[in-house]
Amino acid sequence: MRNGTVPPRGLELSHAVNVEDVRAIANRRLPAAVSDFIDGGGEGEITLHRNRHSLDAIMFRPRALSDASTRTLATTMLGTPVSAPLALAPVGLAALAHPLGERAAALAAAGAGIVSTLSSSSCWSLEEVAEATPDAPKWFQIYVWRDRGITSDVVQRARASGYKALVVTVDVPVGARRERDLHNGFTIPPRPTWRHTGDMLGHLPWVARFGWDEMFGHGLTMGNFGGKAAVTQRMAFMERVNQRFDPGMTWDDLEWLRSLWDGPMVVKGITNERDAAEAVARGIDAVWVSNHGGRQLDGLPATIDVLPAVVDAVDGKAEVYMDGGIRRGSDIAKALARGARICMIGRPYIYGLAAKGQAGVTKVIELLKEQLDNTLALLGCASVEALDQDWLRS
Ligand code: FNR
């Protein structure tokens, strides 16, 4: 799923010109089984690829001689001013990429003036991340667990720690069959076997750093749910999800969550415009169009293709965000032109983390901002807020 020219051999982060370059650096550092866990998708990865193909197929309609000498990327998300229409999506188990994981990502987002969403499946606890970024706008993402007591406890802790919005992810009723992970025998925590020896020997700095983190740091744990003590059994990612998450979740559970949370609520994982309308009818503040980066139900449409129908169904009564395959500033411009207010990124910032921790995430955010600004200039458009369907060929 390469998106860019071939990165030169031995490329360093300071010379990276696009997300694909950062991915190449990340993949040099990570064992293949870990890269596969990050890069992989559900079943045949049709949806994963569709996200990119559909973005690539969109064509711009620029306006000549329209004075784009000054441009602004600044906008707002649920009333919070942000430096660009970009935010970090929740990515669990970020310590796989770097021991400073979610904390480093949140610091990079804070430095760049954008919102980061902490996954409830983070290795660093929500309190630790909040303490590191006290003044930054932060959102918290939750899955509904079978144990409602655990779910409500973590939601209340997020509120007490100053997270501004609650993002409820609704596209993981069960774990998906991610075939790369099944082939690799990938477990949490990872179980090195003879089969993985070559892969591990080829990535000794990662092995050393990960081993150190497992012994003395956070390790690959559920920071919000008891940390290391709670991860006593090694099991496949899918099994862990199925043991904890509730496939019986309904719209009533969303209302129950609403009763626990007095701030804005966002529903993430919507690809059906009817669900978007239902969410709005139930008072949700923002609809996040996502197919989990092609990691859950395979055979879904690309998010960029369902976005216009969702925007229509929402009819201005809530904000609409989109993620899935965003790898360039021009992708953000396309999604905004189709009606998204903000684009989220998942894998791109995890590549940054793997490449160089917080500095790597900062680099990815900077690259996307530079590219978006360049796209606006080439289009002849002065502001991200001015982007609409008229800037695209239909
Ligand atoms: C995710 N995603 C995710 N979503 C969520 O709501 N909670 C989570 O804990 C996770 N964890 C997670 C782990 C990994 C390794 C990946 C790659 C993704 C999905 C994520 O928020 C987002 O929807 C996608 O990553 C967006 O697609 P791109 O930007 O990765 O193409």
Side-chain angles (χ1 to χ4, degrees), residues 343-366:
C343 284
M344 293 25 184
I345 49 167
R347 296 179 185 89
Y349 82 87
I350 298 299
Y351 302 146
L353 256 188
K356 206 175 180 178
Q358 182 181 335
V361 180
T362 299
K363 176 77 181 183
V364 166
I365 297 169
E366 277 171 3

Side-chain angles (χ1 to χ4, degrees), residues 89-90 92 119 141 143 169 268 290 292-293 295 323 325 327 346-347:
S119 165
Q141 174 269 330
Y143 291 111
T169 299
K268 173 176 184 282
S290 175
H292 220 93
R295 293 167 76 78
D323 71 20
R327 299 293 178 269
R347 296 179 185 89

